[in-house]
């Protein structure tokens, strides 16, 4: 299936690592120009270099999605560099897992801020640009954790909020050529997760609960994001696509 991403421009937040990095590479292979935004400038630069070395088009920008000034500077930079922004993937996210009795104020605030404030600030920056061209795609990254995981009250709340944010924004953008959807990944075997000391235990537990019997790879999520960002998905808006290998419960 031809996705029609050739010639499109995409901003992907948190694209210095994991799912975001895989999505940037996927989009670049499909012929899109990508802006890799991350607060880890070095990681973002490495993803850019790999894409450019493979003859793709990419720029890397140091951006903290929770900081309004940093976001507005980054989007101005991308709009100047590419002349347009067609696609935004609100992917930046963090976890600070703790039982609620041990959860510090900043564990709560930081997780909510990166996911919700970050998606709000970045969407607010691109919607006028998308409206101008009457075409746009926003894909927000939620999580299977919306069904609840112990130790993740902050993360589950943030990701549930993303689903409501997606529905509300989709209605604001409907009729102006811009769709807004979410992708909710299950357990994905990113490099970061593989580095955890208890990874083998986590992996085995997750596989046992995953109906398809294996864990998702970053490219499985990138493919879902790319489809929702494509012309082919023009009649889909306000929805959340669960990419979880059939796992829904905790
Ligand atoms: N990996 C999984 O199993 C999984 C499952 C469900 C949902 N998700 C979601 O997918 C997304 C990507 O997850 P991942 O596993 O690839 O994570 P990751 O930690 O590998 O990458 C996240 C990136 O976001 C960046 N980031 C964090 N805070 C930022 C900020 N304030 N401004 C800019 N960049 C920031 C980090 O520097 C990092 O490069 C997240 O939203 C995460 O919640 C992941």
């Amino acid at each position: 299936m031809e996705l029609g991403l050739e010639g499109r421009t995409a901003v992907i937040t948190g694209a210095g690592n994991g799912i975001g990095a895989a999505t940037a590479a996927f989009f670049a292979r499909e012929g899109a120009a990508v802006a890799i935004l991350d607060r880890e400038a070095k990681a973002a630069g490495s993803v850019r270099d790999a894409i450019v070395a493979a003859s793709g088009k990419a720029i890397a920008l140091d951006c903290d999605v929770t900081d309004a000034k940093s976001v507005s500077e980054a989007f101005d930079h991308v709009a100047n560099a590419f002349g347009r922004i067609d696609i935004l993937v609100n992917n930046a996210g963090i976890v600070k897992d703790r039982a609620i009795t041990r959860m510090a104020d900043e564990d709560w605030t930081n997780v909510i801020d990166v996911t919700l404030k970050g998606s709000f600030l970045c969407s607010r920056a691109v919607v006028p640009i998308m409206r101008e061209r009457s075409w746009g795609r926003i894909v927000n990254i939620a999580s299977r954790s919306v069904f609840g995981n112990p130790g993740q009250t902050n993360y589950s709340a943030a990701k549930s909020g993303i689903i409501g944010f997606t529905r509300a924004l989709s209605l604001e953008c409907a009729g102006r050529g811009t769709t807004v959807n979410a992708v909710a990944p299950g357990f994905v075997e990113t490099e970061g997760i593989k580095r955890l000391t208890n990874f083998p235990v986590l992996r085995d537990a997750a596989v046992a609960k995953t109906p398809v019997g294996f864990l998702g790879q970053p490219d499985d999520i990138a493919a879902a994001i790319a489809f929702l960002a494509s012309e082919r998905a023009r009649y889909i808006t306000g929805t959340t696509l669960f990419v979880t290998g059939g796992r829904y419960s905790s």
Side-chain angles (χ1 to χ4, degrees), residues 13-21 37-41 43-44 62-67 70 90-95 110 113-115 118 141-145 155 159 183-193 195 216 218 221:
T13 69
N17 293 285
I19 292 168
L37 270 53
D38 207 291
R39 65 178 178 186
E40 286 181 19
D62 185 359
C63 174
D64 178 350
V65 296
T66 64
D67 182 298
S70 175
N90 281 312
N91 166 77
I94 56 167
V95 285
N110 292 350
D113 272 4
V114 175
T115 296
I141 306 306
S143 168
R144 187 203 55 76
S145 302
Y155 188 72
K159 294 301 191 181
V183 166
F187 194 110
V188 178
E189 221 172 344
T190 59
E191 289 307 316
I193 282 181
R195 279 195 296 270
I221 310 304

Side-chain angles (χ1 to χ4, degrees), residues 89-206:
V89 183
N90 281 312
N91 166 77
I94 56 167
V95 285
K96 293 210 168 180
D97 295 359
R98 309 258 186 285
I100 195 155
T101 48
R102 293 201 204 145
M103 191 173 285
D105 292 9
E106 61 269 25
D107 296 332
W108 178 266
T109 314
N110 292 350
V111 169
I112 300 284
D113 272 4
V114 175
T115 296
L116 287 178
K117 188 179 178 194
S119 299
F120 155 64
L121 290 174
C122 294
S123 301
R124 189 176 64 178
V126 292
V127 165
I129 300 170
M130 291 175 173
R131 279 191 179 151
E132 238 170 61
R133 299 177 56 85
S134 299
W135 200 95
R137 297 284 183 269
I138 298 176
V139 183
N140 301 316
I141 306 306
S143 168
R144 187 203 55 76
S145 302
V146 297
F147 296 109
N149 269 342
Q152 290 199 325
T153 51
N154 50 359
Y155 188 72
S156 294
K159 294 301 191 181
S160 298
I162 275 295
I163 292 178
F165 175 78
T166 299
R167 287 193 187 128
L169 187 58
S170 74
L171 296 176
E172 289 188 26
C173 295
R176 315 275 300 256
T178 293
T179 67
V180 186
N181 291 290
V183 166
F187 194 110
V188 178
E189 221 172 344
T190 59
E191 289 307 316
I193 282 181
K194 283 198 260 184
R195 279 195 296 270
L196 296 173
T197 45
N198 61 343
F199 171 68
V201 178
L202 287 176
R203 177 195 55 210
D204 293 352

